[in-house]
Amino acid sequence: MDATLTRLLQLLAADDGQSLPRVAKKLALRHSQLHRLLTAIAAGNDLRGIIVISGEDPPRLCLGNAGRLLLQELKP
């Protein structure tokens, strides 16, 4: 799994419901890089449901059930 995706999952598990700009800053990503990562997650059949983007203003990222399960599988 991509290290950036793993960091994103861990970040949301620790503090769910963060705004996109805040997540990008914490992961040291440009906004375009974060959007590409989220697009890849949404497009991947095996990755759907990992991240949920709420319709709030600003949009918030939340860890979906699939993301929580995936994170549990990654723990040693």
Side-chain angles (χ1 to χ4, degrees):
M1 174 178 299
D2 180 73
T4 306
L5 176 56
T6 302
R7 288 181 22 234
L8 175 59
L9 293 175
Q10 292 169 337
L11 178 67
L12 293 178
D15 188 11
D16 218 10
Q18 297 186 56
S19 68
L20 273 75
R22 185 175 193 182
V23 169
K25 183 176 180 178
K26 285 187 175 184
L27 294 177
L29 297 174
R30 293 188 309 268
H31 293 281
S32 61
Q33 291 173 305
L34 179 58
H35 282 283
R36 279 195 298 274
L37 177 63
L38 295 173
T39 300
I41 291 169
N45 290 332
D46 56 334
L47 297 178
R48 287 195 183 161
I50 289 180
I51 305 292
V52 177
I53 303 174
S54 73
E56 295 179 32
D57 188 25
R60 304 271 176 188
L61 295 179
C62 300
L63 199 56
N65 289 334
R68 293 182 195 287
L69 292 172
L70 183 59
L71 199 54
Q72 286 297 320
E73 291 175 9
L74 294 175
K75 289 185 179 179

